[in-house]
Amino acid sequence: MTTTLFDSPELAATLRIAVIILLALVARWGLRLAVRQITGRLEKTLSDPERLARVKTFLLTGRSSIYALIVIIAGLMILHVIGLDIGPLLAGAGLVGLALSLGAQTLIKDYIGGLLILFENQFAVGDVIKVGEVSGEVERITLRVTYLRDIEGRLHVLPNGDIRTVSNLTAGYSRAVVDLNVDYDADMQKVSRALEAAAGRAQADETLKAELLEPPQAFGWIAFKDWAVQVRLMAKTMPGKQWKVMMALRQYALEALQAEGVRVAL
């Protein structure tokens, strides 16, 4: 009975290992091609560059995770082919994974939180948000943390897993709200007239037309305080433009109240 090279156990094992490596490379190439095609389609359909960047980050993170899984599976298969018992290895890896997961629960929570922020588009770079007692402009978002710069220039690093409730001050549109206090004995007709004049001036202001989504509204009195009556002006603005509109509304309101002879209570 004649033997061939293919009857050699060493050659058979080598061929199996080669096939495993080849399949792993094909899977890696196929995954890269799929992500590239999906990214190309998204670039054609998504007009928001920030949202596109978020989706790309999500895709690249998922691709890296699948790469790692492919390498691990291929490695275990190769160890099995060369005759090593991978049962104890799997058991040991499970124990190590359990220990790492218990020790890295916070880190895992941060990464999951980062994925949810990216996937749900809760906020983007450039948005002004408030998380707990911290508020400011988002400068950078990673899978683990969010970098937030407050109005005083301080940079806050917020773990994504701790961001449970977030207020986005620049999502879709914003509101400019100006509250003023006038004396109890003030003539409310004059106050209303002054507020309407201030709203009209703001609407006619050429420097504010691009920021205003609706004409400013004068609400008159809205509440009583121990020493004054509170009145309000409000306007719907483009995202992040409320502070500029607020400054103009406050200035026009003070000038109009002074012209009507109404004293602003401090």
Side-chain angles (χ1 to χ4, degrees):
M1 185 175 182
T2 60
T3 60
T4 64
L5 290 176
F6 293 98
D7 294 327
S8 170
E10 293 80 4
L11 181 58
T14 302
L15 290 175
R16 290 178 183 176
I17 292 174
V19 170
I20 292 171
I21 294 175
L22 179 61
L23 291 176
L25 292 175
V26 170
R28 182 176 182 270
W29 174 82
L31 180 62
R32 177 179 295 181
L33 180 62
V35 172
R36 188 181 304 163
Q37 290 180 346
I38 294 174
T39 302
R41 292 178 182 176
L42 290 173
E43 289 176 347
K44 295 178 181 178
T45 57
L46 292 180
S47 58
D48 185 358
E50 182 59 36
R51 187 177 180 185
L52 178 61
R54 289 173 177 273
V55 176
K56 283 184 176 180
T57 302
F58 185 77
L59 288 174
L60 292 176
T61 302
R63 188 186 68 178
S64 299
S65 301
I66 297 176
Y67 277 172
L69 184 61
I70 291 173
V71 171
I72 292 173
I73 294 175
L76 291 175
M77 293 176 67
I78 291 173
L79 291 177
H80 178 69
V81 168
I82 63 178
L84 292 179
D85 185 7
I86 63 174
L89 182 62
L90 291 175
L95 292 176
V96 172
L98 179 60
L100 289 176
S101 63
L102 291 176
Q105 286 183 354
T106 301
L107 187 63
I108 294 173
K109 182 177 71 171
D110 292 340
Y111 276 97
I112 293 176
L115 288 173
L116 290 175
I117 289 172
L118 291 171
F119 185 74
E120 297 176 353
N121 196 25
Q122 296 177 10
F123 51 84
V125 173
D127 283 349
V128 178
I129 65 173
K130 182 177 182 181
V131 181
E133 299 299 321
V134 180
S135 62
E137 181 179 351
V138 179
E139 286 196 347
R140 184 184 172 197
I141 305 172
T142 68
L143 287 181
R144 193 180 71 84
V145 296
T146 295
Y147 296 85
L148 198 65
R149 181 83 63 177
D150 66 18
I151 194 171
E152 297 179 4
R154 294 174 297 187
L155 182 64
H156 301 271
V157 182
L158 308 178
N160 291 329
D162 293 339
I163 301 178
R164 306 295 298 173
T165 302
V166 56
S167 300
N168 194 329
L169 307 182
T170 54
Y173 67 89
S174 301
R175 288 197 187 278
V177 180
V178 174
D179 291 335
L180 298 167
N181 299 313
V182 298
D183 291 333
Y184 272 112
D185 58 356
D187 187 335
M188 294 307 299
Q189 289 186 349
K190 291 184 177 180
V191 172
S192 297
R193 190 162 54 240
L195 294 180
E196 292 289 348
R201 285 187 63 187
Q203 184 178 359
D205 192 334
E206 293 293 334
T207 63
L208 299 180
K209 284 190 175 180
E211 279 74 26
L212 290 172
L213 295 177
E214 294 179 356
Q217 295 178 294
F219 284 87
W221 67 270
I222 59 169
F224 294 106
K225 293 190 174 183
D226 292 339
W227 71 96
V229 177
Q230 192 172 49
V231 295
R232 172 172 293 175
L233 280 168
M234 190 166 67
K236 187 176 181 180
T237 72
M238 294 290 292
K241 301 300 182 181
Q242 66 268 38
W243 295 285
K244 177 181 177 181
V245 176
M246 285 170 61
M247 290 178 60
L249 285 175
R250 187 175 289 109
Q251 176 185 346
Y252 293 152
L254 289 174
E255 292 175 356
L257 289 171
Q258 290 175 358
E260 292 287 350
V262 177
R263 193 178 74 88
V264 177
L266 301 177

